Amino acid sequence: MIRQLRTGLLTASILALSSGAAFADYELNILHINDFHSRIESINKYDSTCSAEEEGKNECFGGVARLKTAIDQKRQELTGKNVLLLNGGDNFQGSLFYTTYKGAAEAEFLNLMKFDALTVGNHEFDDGEDGLATFLDKVTFPVISSNVLAGYKSKLVDRIKPSVVLDVGGQKIGIVGAVTNDTTEISSPGENILIGIDVDTISAAVQDLKKQGVNKIIALTHIGYPRELAVIAKIPDIDVVVGGHSHSLLSNTDAKAEGPYPSLADNPGGYKVPVVQAGSYSKYLGDLVVTFDDNGVVKSAKGDPILIDSKFKPDEAVVARVKEMAKPIDELKAKIIGKTDAAIDGSRDSCRTKECEMGDLVADAMLDRVKGQGVTIAITNGGGLRASIDAGDVSMGEAIAVLPFQNTVATLQIKGADISAALENGLSQIEQFGGRFPQVAGMKFSFDKSRPVGSRLSVVEVKEGEAYVPLDAGKTYNVVTNNFMRNGGDGYSVFKTKGENAYDYGPGLETVLADYLTANNPYKPTTDGRITEIAAATPAEPSTQTSTDPAVTTDAKPATAETATPETKPATPAATETKHVIVRGDTLWDLAKAVYGNGELWKTIASANGNPAPRHLEIGKELTIPAR
C-alpha cells in the first residue's frame, strides 16, 4: 500500500485536530556529500591537488580539513535541531592517498566527520571485495546498499545491509541504499558479488522499513541524477533522494547547475519527492531542510549546496594529520616530469563527448609506448581521465590524478569490423556523458549522435605511414588499450570476446603518461580533428515517454530533468550487412525500426542471429544486421 494510505491518515489527523489533539511538523536537516574520490587534500579549479601557492591566494576548495570545518560549523549552527550527515558513495580512487593507503585514509577522515550513513559507490569495488572489506573494518558508521548481494563465500556477506533505521530527535528515519546497476561492468566487484536491480531491491527494502513502523524514508543512492530523478524518486513511499555517481551540481544560484536544489519529482503516491546531489571532490556540502507532517509526508524542502572555499579555515589537527600521512608520498608527488605550455583539458564534459586534449595526450602516449611492437591504434575510455593539468611544471602527482585507477597498458589483435563495434559501444552513451566514450590515436572517425545507438559511427580511417586510409573490416589490427577495457569494461566486451593474443603489457598508464611528457618536454596541448561530430541533417524528435525499465542506467547529466533519452528518426535501410553490439535497452523491434524503418522486420535480424529472445538480449553480444 502506498502513499494513498498516508493521505487518508492525513484526513484523520485533521479531524483529530478539531477534537483538540495537536500534531507538530518534523524538520530534518540533511547535510551530504557524494563522489569524494579521495580528495584528502584541497583541490584547485581543475579538480587536482591545490598547490601551496594557490592556497596562499585563497584559490583552493574542499579537502578533508576544510570540509570538517564546514561540517562542524553547520552542526554548531543547527544545535538542538534534527541533523543527518550522509555520504552518496565513491569515496575511493582519485588521489595518491588512495593509491598509497587503499581506503584507510578515507575511512579515518570520514570517521572524524561522524557520518551517519554511507552508501556504496561503484569505485568502492575497484580493488575487488578485499578493498571494500578493509574499509568496512575501519569505519564507525553504517555502510548500506540494497542491491549489493554478497554470496556466502564473499568477505562482505552480511556486512552491507540494505537499509538502516536511525533515531533522530525521537523520530525513526529509514535510509535505504543502492549502487548503479552496471557496477559489475564499470568496476570489479568479483564473482562473489551480484548487483541487483536498483528499483526491485529498494522497493523491497522500503516495504521492510514500513513493517518496522518507519514513515520517513530516504533513498541514499549512487545511481546518477537522471535516473534518481526519473525513476528512484517514483518508487512508492520514498520521501527524499540523496544521490551521487553523476557528480551533479544542483543549485538555485550557480548558472552551471544541472538542475534546481532540490529537484522535485512526482511520486505516484501523489506527493513531491526532493532529489539532491552536491557536485563532487569535496567542493560542496549539500544542505537540505525537509519538513514532514505527522504522517511522514514531505510538506516542504529547501536549501542549496555550500561552496567549501577559503571562507572555511582548515581544521588544524586534520591538516597536521594529512601532512603526516603525506610524507611517504610527497617525494613521488613532487617529482617534476615535464612542462606544458598551456592547461590540458581533461574535464568530464569534454572527454566523455568529444575529442579532448587529455584524450589525445594519453592515447598518443599509449601508442608511443608500444609502437615498437607493431601496434598502430590506441583506444582508451574518456571516463578513465579524471583531472585536467594546469599550465607550467607537471608533477608525477598530477599525472596520477589524471589516471588514478592503476590501469595498465594492454595490447590485442582484432579485426576492423570489431574495432567499429567497439567504437559504436563507445558512442552509445553520449547523452548520458558515459565514461566509455573513445579517445583514440592512430585513427580518425566521425559520428552522428542523432542516429540510433549502434549506427552512429560514420567514416573510420586508420593511419598507415603518414596517410590515413579507410578501416578494413576484414583486416586484423594491433591495438593498445587499458586492461580494464581489454577485459570488457565500460561495455567493450568485443575486446574480450574477439580480441586475440591479448596481453596486459603494462606498465601503469600514469607511468606511461609521465614518461611521454618527459620525452616531449615542453608539451603543447592541442586537438587535431581525429574525432569529428557530424551535425544531424534532421533534428531528432523527442520522445513523449519516460523509461520505466529498471535496467536503464545513466552516469551523468540529463538533457532534461524528467524525460527519457530522445528517440531518433529511423536510419536509412542498410544496403550491406552491418554489425551491432547490444546495449542496455535494445530490443529486436527497436533495432529493426531503426535500421529498416519497420519494426515488424525484427524477424529478419532474429533469424540471422539464431533467434534470440527479442526483448531479452544479451548486453555486449554482437548482432549481424542483414541488408534489407
Side-chain angles (χ1 to χ4, degrees), residues 522-534:
Y523 180 76
K524 184 176 182 179
T526 186
T527 55
D528 56 19
R530 64 186 70 176
I531 301 174
T532 307
E533 180 178 352
I534 301 171

Side-chain angles (χ1 to χ4, degrees), residues 83-103:
V83 182
L84 279 177
L85 177 61
L86 303 179
N87 186 310
D90 268 9
N91 298 280
F92 288 11
Q93 211 65 271
S95 80
L96 291 173
F97 281 85
Y98 181 75
T99 305
T100 303
Y101 294 104
K102 295 298 181 183

Side-chain angles (χ1 to χ4, degrees), residues 343-366:
I344 307 170
D345 178 20
S347 67
R348 178 189 183 93
D349 290 358
S350 297
C351 295
R352 296 183 178 216
T353 60
K354 61 185 179 181
E355 178 187 1
C356 70
E357 292 169 351
M358 192 65 74
D360 283 7
L361 169 58
V362 172
D364 285 346
M366 293 167 64

